[in-house]
Structure formats: C-alpha cells, structure tokens
Amino acid sequence: RDSQENSVVIGTALDLSSKVGGEFYVGYMKRDFDSTQYNNISSVTYGADLLWNINRLTSVEVAVERTIEETTAANAAAYVNNGASVSLEHELQRNVLLGGFVSVADHEYKGISREDSYIATGVEARYLINKTFSVGVGYDYTRRDSNVAGNDYGNNQIMLKLTGSF
C-alpha cells in the first residue's frame, strides 16, 4: 500500500491572551496509491488545538482534526479520520499532576462500506521525579462501534508508566 500524501494548508498560531493560545489550519489533502487496486483519496483537511490555562494550576486543551490514515482492512487502503478531544490537567502539587481526557472519532473507510465510531476516556496521575523522568498510573477505556458485524469492541487498560523526556 505504498502511497504519497500531499497537503496544502494555511493556518496560524494565536496567542489570544496570557491564558489562551492555539493553532488552527485548513487545507486540502490528497493521497495517491502506487497500486491501481486502490483509489486515490482527496479531501478537505483541518485541525485546531486550543489551550486554556484556567489558572496557574489547571489547564484545558481542546483539539479537532481531519486526516487521511492508513489501514490494513481488506480492500481498503485508507480511511478519513474526523476526531475531537478535550483534556484537563491539574497540578495538585508542584510535582504531582492529575489529568483526564475524552475523545471521539469517526473513521470513514475508502473502497469499502465500513464506518467506525470511537469514544475514549481516561484518567492519569503522574509524579515528576525530576525535569527528565516521571512515573505515573492511568486508566483508559476505548469503545468502537462499527457498521460491520463483529468489529465492535470495548477495551480497558490500566497502565504503569515510566517516562523520560530528553
């Protein structure tokens, strides 16, 4: 499923105030597949990411996007993803962060009549060991509903994380 994707977008980064900033773009995307088995895909693309620092300790981030994503589904080369998410992070103490998110997405497969809808939610607590490392615990739940029989599922994950940023 070799392909080449080209996008032409226009956008901007905004600093609306000392508490609100974000990035926005809109454009056109096209993915051309090397194999004639798959039809080329073109569509409008867009994205936005807005961060609101409610106060010094709490922030909310809202994001939306429309992209073309690859798939391994039989007879489909890709799907158009429309997604949105909201996340919240609160600094309980200087080195203890609490967070949560909710996201939704719709996947419209090209070449087959399949559409999937996702909803995901999660919570996390992180302890910042130092500027480089953190340890955390989290829980995520993801639900997929599909118009193709046998492709629905629910997934529960409990995670223990050790993260390094360099």
Side-chain angles (χ1 to χ4, degrees):
R1 296 188 180 154
D2 291 337
S3 66
Q4 180 178 4
E5 182 174 327
N6 295 298
S7 300
V8 176
V9 299
I10 187 167
T12 188
L14 299 173
D15 192 8
L16 302 174
S17 72
S18 62
K19 294 187 174 196
V20 179
E23 300 174 345
F24 308 88
Y25 70 89
V26 64
Y28 180 80
M29 61 186 166
K30 182 176 182 184
R31 178 160 298 183
D32 295 324
F33 293 94
D34 291 348
S35 173
T36 57
Q37 177 183 356
Y38 304 112
N39 293 328
N40 296 333
I41 300 171
S42 59
S43 179
V44 170
T45 184
Y46 56 80
D49 193 338
L50 184 67
L51 179 63
W52 175 29
N53 294 307
I54 297 171
N55 55 44
R56 287 186 28 226
L57 302 176
T58 306
S59 62
V60 175
E61 186 172 17
V62 178
V64 296
E65 69 176 354
R66 180 178 173 91
T67 58
I68 296 173
E69 303 294 335
E70 296 176 358
T71 183
T72 57
N75 300 319
Y79 60 85
V80 175
N81 170 60
N82 291 292
S85 65
V86 176
S87 60
L88 173 74
E89 186 171 78
H90 178 73
E91 185 178 308
L92 189 62
Q93 295 179 357
R94 187 166 267 319
N95 59 348
V96 178
L97 304 175
L98 304 176
F101 75 92
V102 174
S103 67
V104 295
D106 288 314
H107 296 174
E108 180 186 337
Y109 288 78
K110 300 300 181 178
I112 60 175
S113 60
R114 175 178 169 180
E115 292 184 23
D116 295 343
S117 296
Y118 291 84
I119 185 163
T121 187
V123 293
E124 177 183 55
R126 284 188 300 150
Y127 174 75
L128 306 176
I129 299 168
N130 56 36
K131 291 182 179 183
T132 306
F133 293 101
S134 68
V135 63
V137 62
Y139 168 76
D140 289 353
Y141 174 75
T142 303
R143 172 85 189 150
R144 178 173 73 186
D145 293 313
S146 179
N147 67 344
V148 175
N151 284 329
D152 297 345
Y153 71 83
N155 183 42
N156 293 284
Q157 282 184 305
I158 297 172
M159 297 159 284
L160 180 59
K161 302 176 184 180
L162 175 61
T163 305
S165 300
F166 301 96

mmCIF file of all heavy atoms in Angstrom, residues 4-6 15 27-28 39 53 66-67 73-74 85 90 95 98 108 111 114 125 132 134 138 156 159:
data_model
loop_
_atom_site.group_PDB
_atom_site.id
_atom_site.type_symbol
_atom_site.label_atom_id
_atom_site.label_comp_id
_atom_site.label_asym_id
_atom_site.label_seq_id
_atom_site.Cartn_x
_atom_site.Cartn_y
_atom_site.Cartn_z
ATOM 1 N N GLN A 4 1.761 8.217 -1.548
ATOM 2 C CA GLN A 4 2.359 9.528 -1.309
ATOM 3 C C GLN A 4 1.229 10.482 -0.963
ATOM 4 O O GLN A 4 0.222 10.553 -1.671
ATOM 5 C CB GLN A 4 3.100 10.020 -2.538
ATOM 6 C CG GLN A 4 3.739 11.377 -2.347
ATOM 7 C CD GLN A 4 4.517 11.816 -3.571
ATOM 8 O OE1 GLN A 4 4.531 11.153 -4.596
ATOM 9 N NE2 GLN A 4 5.164 12.953 -3.465
ATOM 10 N N GLU A 5 1.403 11.203 0.150
ATOM 11 C CA GLU A 5 0.384 12.166 0.557
ATOM 12 C C GLU A 5 0.935 13.573 0.400
ATOM 13 O O GLU A 5 2.076 13.852 0.789
ATOM 14 C CB GLU A 5 -0.050 11.958 2.005
ATOM 15 C CG GLU A 5 -1.146 12.925 2.413
ATOM 16 C CD GLU A 5 -1.710 12.647 3.795
ATOM 17 O OE1 GLU A 5 -1.765 11.481 4.204
ATOM 18 O OE2 GLU A 5 -2.109 13.617 4.459
ATOM 19 N N ASN A 6 0.114 14.432 -0.172
ATOM 20 C CA ASN A 6 0.441 15.845 -0.304
ATOM 21 C C ASN A 6 -0.675 16.655 0.321
ATOM 22 O O ASN A 6 -1.859 16.326 0.154
ATOM 23 C CB ASN A 6 0.605 16.244 -1.768
ATOM 24 C CG ASN A 6 1.785 15.548 -2.407
ATOM 25 O OD1 ASN A 6 2.919 15.735 -1.995
ATOM 26 N ND2 ASN A 6 1.520 14.716 -3.403
ATOM 27 N N ASP A 15 -1.977 33.727 20.017
ATOM 28 C CA ASP A 15 -1.842 33.919 21.451
ATOM 29 C C ASP A 15 -2.924 34.928 21.815
ATOM 30 O O ASP A 15 -2.702 36.145 21.766
ATOM 31 C CB ASP A 15 -0.444 34.423 21.794
ATOM 32 C CG ASP A 15 -0.156 34.367 23.279
ATOM 33 O OD1 ASP A 15 -0.978 33.797 24.025
ATOM 34 O OD2 ASP A 15 0.898 34.888 23.686
ATOM 35 N N GLY A 27 -7.117 23.181 4.870
ATOM 36 C CA GLY A 27 -6.489 22.985 3.577
ATOM 37 C C GLY A 27 -7.083 21.812 2.826
ATOM 38 O O GLY A 27 -8.225 21.398 3.055
ATOM 39 N N TYR A 28 -6.269 21.255 1.952
ATOM 40 C CA TYR A 28 -6.666 20.167 1.066
ATOM 41 C C TYR A 28 -5.589 19.096 1.126
ATOM 42 O O TYR A 28 -4.398 19.417 1.109
ATOM 43 C CB TYR A 28 -6.811 20.717 -0.355
ATOM 44 C CG TYR A 28 -7.209 19.696 -1.380
ATOM 45 C CD1 TYR A 28 -8.524 19.296 -1.519
ATOM 46 C CD2 TYR A 28 -6.256 19.139 -2.228
ATOM 47 C CE1 TYR A 28 -8.888 18.369 -2.476
ATOM 48 C CE2 TYR A 28 -6.608 18.209 -3.186
ATOM 49 C CZ TYR A 28 -7.924 17.831 -3.302
ATOM 50 O OH TYR A 28 -8.282 16.912 -4.240
ATOM 51 N N ASN A 39 -8.145 3.254 -4.968
ATOM 52 C CA ASN A 39 -8.453 4.573 -5.499
ATOM 53 C C ASN A 39 -7.724 5.642 -4.698
ATOM 54 O O ASN A 39 -7.579 5.532 -3.480
ATOM 55 C CB ASN A 39 -9.964 4.849 -5.433
ATOM 56 C CG ASN A 39 -10.750 3.950 -6.361
ATOM 57 O OD1 ASN A 39 -10.262 3.559 -7.415
ATOM 58 N ND2 ASN A 39 -11.965 3.620 -5.972
ATOM 59 N N ASN A 53 -5.332 28.039 29.898
ATOM 60 C CA ASN A 53 -4.792 27.932 31.248
ATOM 61 C C ASN A 53 -5.771 28.646 32.177
ATOM 62 O O ASN A 53 -5.713 29.872 32.330
ATOM 63 C CB ASN A 53 -3.396 28.556 31.328
ATOM 64 C CG ASN A 53 -2.406 27.778 30.489
ATOM 65 O OD1 ASN A 53 -2.275 26.577 30.639
ATOM 66 N ND2 ASN A 53 -1.736 28.457 29.580
ATOM 67 N N ARG A 66 -8.971 16.520 10.935
ATOM 68 C CA ARG A 66 -9.459 15.684 9.834
ATOM 69 C C ARG A 66 -8.222 15.277 9.044
ATOM 70 O O ARG A 66 -7.502 16.137 8.537
ATOM 71 C CB ARG A 66 -10.448 16.441 8.956
ATOM 72 C CG ARG A 66 -10.979 15.617 7.791
ATOM 73 C CD ARG A 66 -11.992 16.429 6.983
ATOM 74 N NE ARG A 66 -12.408 15.755 5.788
ATOM 75 C CZ ARG A 66 -13.451 14.940 5.684
ATOM 76 N NH1 ARG A 66 -14.180 14.703 6.762
ATOM 77 N NH2 ARG A 66 -13.760 14.384 4.549
ATOM 78 N N THR A 67 -7.980 13.960 8.974
ATOM 79 C CA THR A 67 -6.770 13.443 8.337
ATOM 80 C C THR A 67 -7.103 12.203 7.515
ATOM 81 O O THR A 67 -8.171 11.612 7.658
ATOM 82 C CB THR A 67 -5.719 13.054 9.401
ATOM 83 O OG1 THR A 67 -6.287 12.082 10.283
ATOM 84 C CG2 THR A 67 -5.259 14.271 10.190
ATOM 85 N N ALA A 73 -7.284 -2.953 6.698
ATOM 86 C CA ALA A 73 -8.571 -3.596 6.394
ATOM 87 C C ALA A 73 -8.578 -4.063 4.941
ATOM 88 O O ALA A 73 -8.109 -3.358 4.039
ATOM 89 C CB ALA A 73 -9.723 -2.619 6.646
ATOM 90 N N ALA A 74 -9.105 -5.261 4.708
ATOM 91 C CA ALA A 74 -9.133 -5.832 3.360
ATOM 92 C C ALA A 74 -9.891 -4.924 2.402
ATOM 93 O O ALA A 74 -10.961 -4.407 2.717
ATOM 94 C CB ALA A 74 -9.784 -7.208 3.399
ATOM 95 N N SER A 85 -11.101 16.039 20.741
ATOM 96 C CA SER A 85 -10.748 15.633 22.100
ATOM 97 C C SER A 85 -10.747 16.834 23.036
ATOM 98 O O SER A 85 -10.549 17.972 22.612
ATOM 99 C CB SER A 85 -9.377 14.952 22.132
ATOM 100 O OG SER A 85 -8.364 15.868 21.771
ATOM 101 N N HIS A 90 -4.415 19.099 36.002
ATOM 102 C CA HIS A 90 -4.381 19.913 37.214
ATOM 103 C C HIS A 90 -3.119 19.571 37.998
ATOM 104 O O HIS A 90 -2.799 18.402 38.198
ATOM 105 C CB HIS A 90 -5.617 19.653 38.082
ATOM 106 C CG HIS A 90 -5.609 20.427 39.365
ATOM 107 N ND1 HIS A 90 -5.832 21.785 39.402
ATOM 108 C CD2 HIS A 90 -5.382 20.035 40.639
ATOM 109 C CE1 HIS A 90 -5.754 22.198 40.661
ATOM 110 N NE2 HIS A 90 -5.474 21.153 41.431
ATOM 111 N N ASN A 95 4.972 18.695 41.913
ATOM 112 C CA ASN A 95 5.456 17.506 41.211
ATOM 113 C C ASN A 95 4.394 16.399 41.094
ATOM 114 O O ASN A 95 4.723 15.272 40.765
ATOM 115 C CB ASN A 95 6.726 16.972 41.870
ATOM 116 C CG ASN A 95 6.508 16.617 43.328
ATOM 117 O OD1 ASN A 95 5.481 16.964 43.906
ATOM 118 N ND2 ASN A 95 7.456 15.927 43.917
ATOM 119 N N LEU A 98 -2.540 15.596 37.909
ATOM 120 C CA LEU A 98 -3.711 14.771 37.653
ATOM 121 C C LEU A 98 -4.301 15.186 36.312
ATOM 122 O O LEU A 98 -4.324 16.379 35.991
ATOM 123 C CB LEU A 98 -4.757 14.965 38.751
ATOM 124 C CG LEU A 98 -4.310 14.700 40.186
ATOM 125 C CD1 LEU A 98 -5.439 15.030 41.152
ATOM 126 C CD2 LEU A 98 -3.857 13.260 40.341
ATOM 127 N N GLU A 108 -14.128 6.856 8.235
ATOM 128 C CA GLU A 108 -14.874 6.533 7.012
ATOM 129 C C GLU A 108 -13.903 5.872 6.039
ATOM 130 O O GLU A 108 -13.027 6.519 5.472
ATOM 131 C CB GLU A 108 -15.451 7.814 6.400
ATOM 132 C CG GLU A 108 -16.226 7.579 5.143
ATOM 133 C CD GLU A 108 -16.653 8.891 4.491
ATOM 134 O OE1 GLU A 108 -16.740 9.917 5.182
ATOM 135 O OE2 GLU A 108 -16.879 8.854 3.268
ATOM 136 N N GLY A 111 -13.150 2.671 -0.293
ATOM 137 C CA GLY A 111 -13.045 1.426 -1.044
ATOM 138 C C GLY A 111 -13.957 0.336 -0.513
ATOM 139 O O GLY A 111 -14.202 -0.657 -1.186
ATOM 140 N N ARG A 114 -17.514 0.668 5.155
ATOM 141 C CA ARG A 114 -17.313 0.492 6.592
ATOM 142 C C ARG A 114 -17.136 1.859 7.244
ATOM 143 O O ARG A 114 -16.402 2.705 6.739
ATOM 144 C CB ARG A 114 -16.083 -0.369 6.857
ATOM 145 C CG ARG A 114 -15.740 -0.500 8.329
ATOM 146 C CD ARG A 114 -14.548 -1.404 8.544
ATOM 147 N NE ARG A 114 -14.071 -1.316 9.917
ATOM 148 C CZ ARG A 114 -13.042 -2.002 10.387
ATOM 149 N NH1 ARG A 114 -12.393 -2.845 9.610
ATOM 150 N NH2 ARG A 114 -12.668 -1.863 11.633
ATOM 151 N N ALA A 125 -2.516 9.923 36.853
ATOM 152 C CA ALA A 125 -1.799 10.646 37.901
ATOM 153 C C ALA A 125 -0.310 10.448 37.627
ATOM 154 O O ALA A 125 0.133 9.337 37.343
ATOM 155 C CB ALA A 125 -2.159 10.107 39.282
ATOM 156 N N THR A 132 13.582 15.357 33.974
ATOM 157 C CA THR A 132 13.696 14.373 32.906
ATOM 158 C C THR A 132 12.732 13.198 33.056
ATOM 159 O O THR A 132 12.166 12.734 32.073
ATOM 160 C CB THR A 132 15.131 13.831 32.831
ATOM 161 O OG1 THR A 132 16.033 14.932 32.704
ATOM 162 C CG2 THR A 132 15.317 12.883 31.665
ATOM 163 N N SER A 134 9.460 10.918 34.924
ATOM 164 C CA SER A 134 8.228 10.898 35.715
ATOM 165 C C SER A 134 7.714 9.466 35.771
ATOM 166 O O SER A 134 8.033 8.638 34.919
ATOM 167 C CB SER A 134 7.160 11.820 35.107
ATOM 168 O OG SER A 134 6.699 11.325 33.869
ATOM 169 N N GLY A 138 -2.372 5.123 35.198
ATOM 170 C CA GLY A 138 -3.516 5.611 34.441
ATOM 171 C C GLY A 138 -4.488 4.514 34.082
ATOM 172 O O GLY A 138 -4.176 3.314 34.160
ATOM 173 N N ASN A 156 -10.340 -1.957 28.058
ATOM 174 C CA ASN A 156 -9.936 -1.344 29.317
ATOM 175 C C ASN A 156 -8.435 -1.524 29.468
ATOM 176 O O ASN A 156 -7.924 -2.627 29.282
ATOM 177 C CB ASN A 156 -10.631 -2.019 30.498
ATOM 178 C CG ASN A 156 -12.113 -1.775 30.496
ATOM 179 O OD1 ASN A 156 -12.569 -0.700 30.849
ATOM 180 N ND2 ASN A 156 -12.890 -2.776 30.062
ATOM 181 N N MET A 159 -2.458 1.261 33.262
ATOM 182 C CA MET A 159 -1.063 1.451 32.879
ATOM 183 C C MET A 159 -0.224 1.944 34.048
ATOM 184 O O MET A 159 -0.688 2.760 34.840
ATOM 185 C CB MET A 159 -0.965 2.459 31.748
ATOM 186 C CG MET A 159 -1.650 1.999 30.481
ATOM 187 S SD MET A 159 -2.046 3.368 29.403
ATOM 188 C CE MET A 159 -3.453 4.061 30.248
#
